[in-house]
Amino acid sequence: SETVVIRDIKFYSMCEHHMLPFYGKIMLAYSPNGRVFGISKLVRLVEKYSKRLQIQERMTKNIADELYSQGVKGVAVIAEAEHLCMKMRGVRNNANVTSAAFRGIYERKEEKERIIELIKNPTKSSFQ
């Protein structure tokens, strides 16, 4: 039942389709399997993938896959971003994009719902 959550990790990246920036924040949760990671390691993991030319969905998946490969019980990664390709070109809309990836125990429906609620509403956590 242990869960570690880090919210609002800022990132800046470049869209591989349009060569324009997208930026936003990552919310990350994991369930340790005997050891915890330093917070700075998690921020560096986000930076590692956000520095690449890519798409948001792949970045979200790669962060989840790498953290899960470290032997944790579960991982949830939610990315929210603004895309300048949406604001500057074509539809010229301010819509934000949210992508999510769940691994391990967080793939189960009840755990996924619990972790999403914990990330969205930290003051209404199940720890109280």
Side-chain angles (χ1 to χ4, degrees):
S1 65
E2 296 175 0
T3 300
V4 177
V5 176
I6 181 169
R7 294 182 300 110
D8 300 335
I9 302 171
K10 290 185 173 80
F11 74 88
Y12 301 89
S13 194
M14 291 288 285
C15 173
E16 69 183 36
H17 293 141
H18 305 104
M19 299 295 289
L20 288 169
F22 66 96
Y23 57 91
K25 59 187 176 179
I26 300 274
M27 281 67 70
L28 186 149
Y30 74 98
S31 182
N33 195 8
R35 67 178 196 144
V36 295
F37 299 100
I39 295 169
S40 65
K41 301 283 190 271
L42 300 173
V43 172
R44 284 190 190 105
L45 178 61
V46 170
E47 288 178 350
K48 172 183 175 180
Y49 287 104
S50 67
K51 299 289 182 215
R52 300 175 179 183
L53 190 62
Q54 67 189 322
I55 60 173
Q56 179 179 335
E57 298 86 346
R58 186 180 319 117
M59 179 184 73
T60 306
K61 176 194 172 308
N62 287 341
I63 293 167
D65 289 343
E66 183 163 334
L67 187 54
Y68 189 61
S69 75
Q70 300 301 308
V72 299
K73 293 186 249 179
V75 173
V77 178
I78 300 173
E80 296 176 348
E82 296 183 44
H83 291 248
L84 289 186
C85 53
M86 286 278 291
K87 291 182 176 202
M88 296 172 60
R89 314 174 57 250
V91 295
R92 296 182 190 264
N93 192 291
N94 288 332
N96 289 339
V97 177
T98 300
S99 55
F102 300 90
R103 303 290 182 268
I105 63 170
Y106 297 142
E107 292 178 281
R108 296 192 306 241
K109 183 180 184 231
E110 64 279 354
E111 284 296 313
K112 189 182 291 188
E113 290 170 354
R114 183 182 73 80
I115 205 65
I116 289 171
E117 182 65 26
L118 181 62
I119 288 170
K120 286 172 51 178
N121 299 308
T123 58
K124 289 179 59 179
S125 77
S126 59
F127 301 118
Q128 296 176 350

